[in-house]
Amino acid sequence: MSLFKTLLLSNQAKVVFKTQNPLHKPFPHSPSFIIRRTLSSSPQEPIKKPLSLLFEEAVGLTEKAGGNESEYQEEKNGLMSELRGLEREVRALKENPKPKVQKEEKEKKPKKKVTNLVELFGSEKMVEKRRRESGEATVLKDLSPFVEAFVRHLYSKGYFNKANFLVDNKLDFSYFDSKYGRDFIKSAAYKFGKDHQEIAQWLSSKNLKTVALFGCPSLDKNNVFAAKWLRKIFKIQEDTVCSQCMLKDSCRHANKDVWGIATRNLLLVHVMKVIILYNLDQVPPKLTVPDEVRDSANKLLEEVIKLSRTT
């Protein structure tokens, strides 16, 4: 018994000596080192979570870890408050999902057939406004028999194949009761003149000179140039015509001659640019066209139709 007490006291003394001796450092894996580290270590501070983990916890991708103290500290951050709001929105969407809206198929409505060009290009008031702004007559007169015959001839020659306002490409004169329809007739007449230059030499010189002596059918540069070309062919002085013109106060080309004409050949396209405005009665309201000029223009149009059928 005394031997046991002696051994026990000696072991206790060794332990006290090792723990109190600063020169003695225990091995990290020894039991004494583990015991000392466990006893002497202080409570760990809360570890801050990375932003990605906070976002996953907020949207419900991972379970939350930590006690109330860590949650209280995290809520102090402005970012955490925003994540909380996002979490509430996600939960609300999970609890009350929005019903899926089914796309209803739009019923295909049958295309409405257009009865006139006013329905295609605006109301009658808009059309009338554009006409007033351009200085043209606000009321379109009915097409003359000469123009109707010319339109039928153009239609038979395929000059209205690109007219998208003709339903099923059928000729209907009601479609020409608008400025757009009348302008299409003018464009077709100009193209016809370029394609049939051989007709020009057979036209009546008397009717051509009557039209040339009157002046220009409009203030448009293309029409003015064509009228000046006709006067140049018949050697009519510009000041003679311009001094009597009713549009001279508004014309920028008054008393100006046409230069650069190296040929005396009459071009049919210039004839069409002049007479078609008289035929369609698309002249400025200030311009009063004498009956003899209208008659000459109608006769020339009639000659163009006849000559194009024989050539």
Side-chain angles (χ1 to χ4, degrees):
M1 185 69 180
S2 59
L3 180 59
F4 178 76
K5 289 181 178 181
T6 303
L7 292 173
L8 181 61
L9 291 174
S10 63
N11 291 332
Q12 291 178 354
K14 291 179 180 180
V15 172
V16 172
F17 176 76
K18 290 179 180 179
T19 56
Q20 295 180 358
N21 189 3
L23 299 178
H24 178 73
K25 293 182 180 180
F27 190 72
H29 297 287
S30 62
S32 61
F33 178 82
I34 297 174
I35 294 172
R36 286 181 60 194
R37 184 175 181 181
T38 304
L39 295 175
S40 61
S41 60
S42 59
Q44 296 181 353
E45 297 179 0
I47 303 173
K48 294 183 179 180
K49 300 179 182 180
L51 183 60
S52 59
L53 181 59
L54 291 175
F55 180 77
E56 291 178 358
E57 291 180 354
V59 298
L61 297 177
T62 58
E63 296 182 358
K64 297 181 181 179
N68 296 330
E69 184 177 357
S70 62
E71 293 180 359
Y72 175 75
Q73 292 178 355
E74 291 172 354
E75 289 177 353
K76 290 182 180 180
N77 297 330
L79 181 60
M80 191 59 192
S81 62
E82 295 179 2
L83 292 175
R84 293 294 183 188
L86 181 60
E87 181 182 2
R88 288 192 293 269
E89 293 180 4
V90 172
R91 288 179 179 176
L93 289 175
K94 288 183 177 180
E95 294 176 359
N96 300 317
K98 294 182 179 180
K100 295 182 180 180
V101 180
Q102 297 180 353
K103 295 182 179 179
E104 298 180 358
E105 296 182 357
K106 296 182 179 180
E107 297 181 358
K108 294 183 179 179
K109 297 182 180 180
K111 293 184 179 180
K112 182 181 178 181
K113 290 188 176 182
V114 183
T115 57
N116 53 58
L117 288 173
V118 172
E119 296 180 4
L120 267 178
F121 302 100
S123 62
E124 293 183 0
K125 292 182 179 180
M126 292 297 295
V127 175
E128 295 296 330
K129 182 180 178 181
R130 295 191 187 109
R131 289 174 186 164
R132 286 193 299 269
E133 292 176 352
S134 61
E136 296 182 0
T138 56
V139 179
L140 294 177
K141 297 181 180 180
D142 295 336
L143 297 178
S144 66
F146 300 97
V147 176
E148 288 186 358
F150 183 59
V151 169
R152 289 191 181 93
H153 183 67
L154 292 176
Y155 178 78
S156 64
K157 296 294 184 179
Y159 286 92
F160 287 92
N161 290 341
K162 295 183 179 180
N164 53 6
F165 56 87
L166 294 179
V167 179
D168 298 330
N169 200 26
K170 294 181 179 180
L171 183 61
D172 187 347
F173 284 96
S174 63
Y175 295 140
F176 300 106
D177 293 337
S178 70
K179 185 179 181 300
Y180 181 84
R182 301 295 172 93
D183 289 343
F184 200 95
I185 295 176
K186 289 192 299 183
S187 299
Y190 300 161
K191 190 175 186 307
F192 179 86
K194 293 179 180 180
D195 296 340
H196 298 81
Q197 170 57 28
E198 69 279 0
I199 298 176
Q201 60 180 333
W202 303 108
L203 294 176
S204 170
S205 298
K206 179 182 177 182
N207 293 327
L208 286 172
K209 191 172 183 179
T210 302
V211 172
L213 280 169
F214 176 68
C216 303
S218 74
L219 295 177
D220 184 77
K221 183 178 179 180
N222 294 326
N223 302 115
V224 171
F225 182 83
K228 287 179 178 291
W229 184 291
L230 292 180
R231 292 196 288 271
K232 189 75 174 180
I233 295 296
F234 290 98
K235 298 180 180 181
I236 301 173
Q237 297 296 324
E238 286 295 312
D239 55 353
T240 303
V241 177
C242 295
S243 60
Q244 301 176 0
C245 182
M246 304 173 189
L247 305 175
K248 60 182 178 181
D249 295 334
S250 304
C251 183
R252 297 180 180 179
H253 309 283
N255 298 319
K256 293 181 181 180
D257 202 353
V258 179
W259 299 100
I261 300 179
T263 178
R264 292 179 56 84
N265 293 335
L266 179 67
L267 298 181
L268 182 61
V269 62
H270 290 159
V271 176
M272 300 307 298
K273 286 182 179 181
V274 174
I275 66 172
I276 195 64
L277 294 182
Y278 298 135
N279 301 136
L280 293 172
D281 201 14
Q282 279 192 298
V283 296
K286 294 181 180 180
L287 187 62
T288 303
V289 183
D291 292 338
E292 58 177 350
V293 176
R294 292 185 184 276
D295 293 340
S296 295
N298 291 332
K299 289 178 181 179
L300 287 170
L301 188 62
E302 190 176 17
E303 290 177 7
V304 167
I305 298 173
K306 292 179 179 180
L307 292 171
S308 64
R309 290 173 179 171
T310 57
T311 56

